[in-house]
Amino acid sequence: MRTINSGNSLILKGTPVSSDSKLLDDVKQHLCTCSAGLKLTPDMEAFLKMPMRELYVSLPIHMDDGSIKVFKGFRVQYNEALGPTKGGIRFHPDETMETIRALAALMTWKCALHKLPLGGAKGGVVCSPKELSHRELERLSRAYIRGVYQIIGPDRDIPAPDMYTNPQIMAWMMDEYSKLAGKNVFGAITGKPTSLGGSAGRFDATAKGGLYAIREAAKEQGMELKDATVAVQGFGNVGYHAAYLAKKLFGCKVVAISDSKGGIYAENGLDPEDVSGYKHSAGSVLDYPGTENITNKELLELDVDILIPAALENVITKENAEKVRPKILAEMANGPTIREAEEILRSNGIHIIPDILCNGGGVIVSYFEMVQNESSIQWEEEEIESRLEKKMKEAYHSVYDFAAKNNVGMRQAAYTLAVGRVVEAMQLRGWI
Ligand code: NAD
């Protein structure tokens, strides 16, 4: 029987992408936690709580039925003190400017934490990609690039995939950018297919990076990874690879997996590859033979060693935090834990690997893709992997050591290191 830490089974289905500005408020509050340590003046703090640049675009698209539909898009360039900004593009029906702004801030701290010469950005289009035909999706992807063309580029801001965008969409976007520039500019977009200058190892980089962080955390916690139980929320790019690699690399037992329609549980473990094949034909992981259907809410409350939220933000809240009891919470999604919930998790002794640390593998390998595009070389997958592993290990231990030395949580440690680097760059550039 599956064990749930306690009753209550609200269904997460239909949860909006953000609860208005909650994620943004939390990101600002996390920044405040390191103000004193970094001796930030109120003016500096106010500046860091604001994006440097935002663009709203309206995108009229010719639909297959002959009608014209107008989609809303955004691009936020949060802070470019450390270099050109970088961040994914999300296609989601509930997308909001507040979420994009918060995610652009997270990208800024993430790039700084992982010592990449990049600032942070994020983009989004309000749309339901599952309801668009292949050609409509292509028109929308190209229209988005035309809309933001003036403010992006390899030296300005480099988009990448995120929720419901993929290498094919990146290929169309790179092609559109190149047409407008009148030359091939492969480095304008990352997350491309490898045949178009994409990097080996990008497709599973976020999950692999997160698993390297989990491995370091397990060592610190004295936890054996072989047969450790794992639950993964979200079964897209990050969630699928996290489940697949947890089993393949470490021999973990993946007992639960979910997607937007709900989840499945199997006490003796699942074969993520087989579940993926099933989802491909059935449209969801639900009703996978030999498993018990569970809700997304129930998945978060399972008694497992490692919980990996890999879908949406704001899923661990004040209401369910008492019942969320893994030994390690590996935040592969952006902003899955709301601030008030974190206090409860920490007082229950849960080791949190915060999002800006845990899911940095994607932007690290995107950065490797930029470097390869700029120098027209292609690294082998082994080289990418060993560089990624080195960076994730370094970042994990710098955060862990800082947290231990200063008696603060992992998130506060990560923010203090990251924000400190951005502030130093702004000071050296004479901005503040
Ligand atoms: P994706 O679009 O490939 O997959 C999203 C998954 O979430 C799908 O399986 C979908 O069914 C599931 N989902 C949607 N709504 C859900 C709900 N209400 N409950 C449970 N599951 C739901 O997206 P992705 O690229 O895997 O991104 C997942 C998360 O990881 C996001 O928070 C994203 O910002 C973050 N992230 C992604 C990358 C990357 O490289 N792709 C990098 C860093 C962070």
Side-chain angles (χ1 to χ4, degrees):
M1 269 302 284
R2 71 191 152 89
T3 324
I4 295 187
N5 288 316
S6 152
N8 194 342
S9 62
L10 272 174
I11 297 179
L12 201 71
K13 221 162 85 179
T15 300
V17 139
S18 86
S19 83
D20 301 321
S21 54
K22 178 66 188 139
L23 181 62
L24 185 59
D25 287 347
D26 277 2
V27 173
K28 287 182 186 174
Q29 286 305 318
H30 291 317
L31 177 72
C32 295
T33 61
C34 51
S35 288
L38 292 172
K39 299 189 174 54
L40 296 184
T41 64
D43 289 347
M44 282 152 82
E45 193 180 304
F47 181 61
L48 290 167
K49 284 181 177 170
M50 294 279 291
M52 295 185 71
R53 197 170 299 112
E54 294 185 345
L55 183 64
Y56 288 79
V57 289
S58 282
L59 310 169
I61 302 298
H62 288 270
M63 306 302 281
D64 291 348
D65 65 5
S67 65
I68 290 180
K69 202 167 164 189
V70 182
F71 293 85
K72 213 161 53 169
F74 323 100
R75 187 78 188 161
V76 176
Q77 296 169 344
Y78 198 85
N79 187 297
E80 59 195 12
L82 283 168
T85 54
K86 174 128 197 59
I89 299 169
R90 307 182 7 142
F91 282 2
H92 198 286
D94 299 321
E95 203 54 85
T96 66
M97 181 49 120
E98 281 76 19
T99 316
I100 295 297
R101 204 175 279 151
L103 293 168
L106 284 177
M107 280 304 294
T108 305
W109 314 137
K110 196 181 304 182
C111 292
L113 179 65
H114 290 278
K115 293 190 177 169
L116 303 176
L118 297 167
K122 203 68 148 192
V125 177
V126 184
C127 67
S128 300
K130 287 180 190 167
E131 289 164 19
L132 297 176
S133 72
H134 192 71
R135 287 295 154 223
E136 287 166 344
L137 199 56
E138 176 176 353
R139 281 179 223 127
L140 183 60
S141 306
R142 290 183 183 278
Y144 179 77
I145 290 302
R146 290 195 297 278
V148 300
Y149 177 73
Q150 297 296 340
I151 63 163
I152 64 167
D155 302 321
R156 289 190 190 131
D157 176 17
I158 308 100
D162 205 297
M163 284 276 282
Y164 295 132
T165 52
N166 56 32
Q168 172 60 78
I169 292 177
M170 296 306 114
W172 290 325
M173 290 184 167
M174 181 280 289
D175 183 68
E176 192 65 23
Y177 187 93
S178 296
K179 279 183 178 155
L180 293 166
K183 57 182 180 182
N184 275 327
V185 192
F186 284 2
I189 307 276
T190 61
K192 305 180 293 291
T194 42
S195 52
L196 280 176
S199 177
R202 175 61 184 91
F203 66 103
D204 64 358
T206 303
K208 200 171 265 176
L211 284 162
Y212 291 141
I214 289 174
R215 188 186 57 198
E216 299 310 303
K219 277 188 215 155
E220 298 290 358
Q221 308 293 306
M223 185 202 286
E224 179 63 58
L225 280 177
K226 173 121 186 54
D227 289 328
T229 51
V230 179
V232 183
Q233 183 183 62
F235 205 49
N237 176 296
V238 179
Y240 165 68
H241 288 110
Y244 171 74
L245 292 170
K247 182 170 154 66
K248 184 177 167 215
L249 297 181
F250 306 145
C252 295
K253 193 167 24 152
V254 180
V255 293
I257 283 171
S258 70
D259 59 31
S260 59
K261 301 205 172 98
I264 49 172
Y265 175 85
E267 189 182 6
N268 293 327
L270 295 154
D271 175 354
E273 219 176 346
D274 201 60
V275 177
S276 172
Y278 171 84
K279 179 177 159 70
H280 207 68
S281 52
S284 164
V285 298
L286 283 179
D287 299 324
Y288 177 75
T291 64
E292 187 182 340
N293 284 342
I294 56 172
T295 64
N296 262 296
K297 177 89 168 35
E298 286 172 328
L299 179 139
L300 296 173
E301 297 170 9
L302 287 170
D303 183 12
V304 288
D305 296 315
I306 301 165
L307 174 63
I308 304 180
L312 302 176
E313 48 278 1
N314 301 335
V315 292
I316 302 175
T317 63
K318 260 190 312 194
E319 285 66 42
N320 65 1
E322 262 314 330
K323 298 171 210 141
V324 176
R325 298 278 183 122
K327 293 191 181 73
I328 294 176
L329 171 65
E331 294 184 342
M332 293 205 197
N334 283 311
T337 309
I338 74 157
R339 203 168 47 86
E340 295 81 354
E342 181 164 352
E343 288 161 25
I344 301 171
L345 298 178
R346 283 191 61 209
S347 67
N348 287 336
I350 292 160
H351 183 71
I352 303 173
I353 310 177
D355 48 8
I356 59 172
L357 170 60
C358 193
N359 67 28
V363 71
I364 291 172
V365 176
S366 275
Y367 166 66
F368 295 162
E369 184 172 333
M370 287 171 60
V371 172
Q372 291 171 83
N373 289 162
E374 238 165 71
S375 46
S376 292
I377 51 165
Q378 277 214 310
W379 295 339
E380 299 294 329
E381 189 156 355
E382 295 70 39
E383 174 151 15
I384 303 276
E385 255 179 47
S386 78
R387 285 175 184 264
L388 171 65
E389 183 175 6
K390 184 164 177 280
K391 279 203 97 45
M392 288 303 301
K393 259 174 96 169
E394 270 173 19
Y396 180 86
H397 288 288
S398 67
V399 173
Y400 185 84
D401 294 349
F402 187 96
K405 191 167 158 211
N406 296 283
N407 196 24
V408 296
M410 289 285 283
R411 194 178 318 273
Q412 186 174 339
Y415 267 73
T416 309
L417 290 169
V419 174
R421 284 174 197 148
V422 174
V423 169
E424 186 188 344
M426 294 200 305
Q427 279 166 337
L428 289 169
R429 292 178 74 144
W431 291 3
I432 53 172

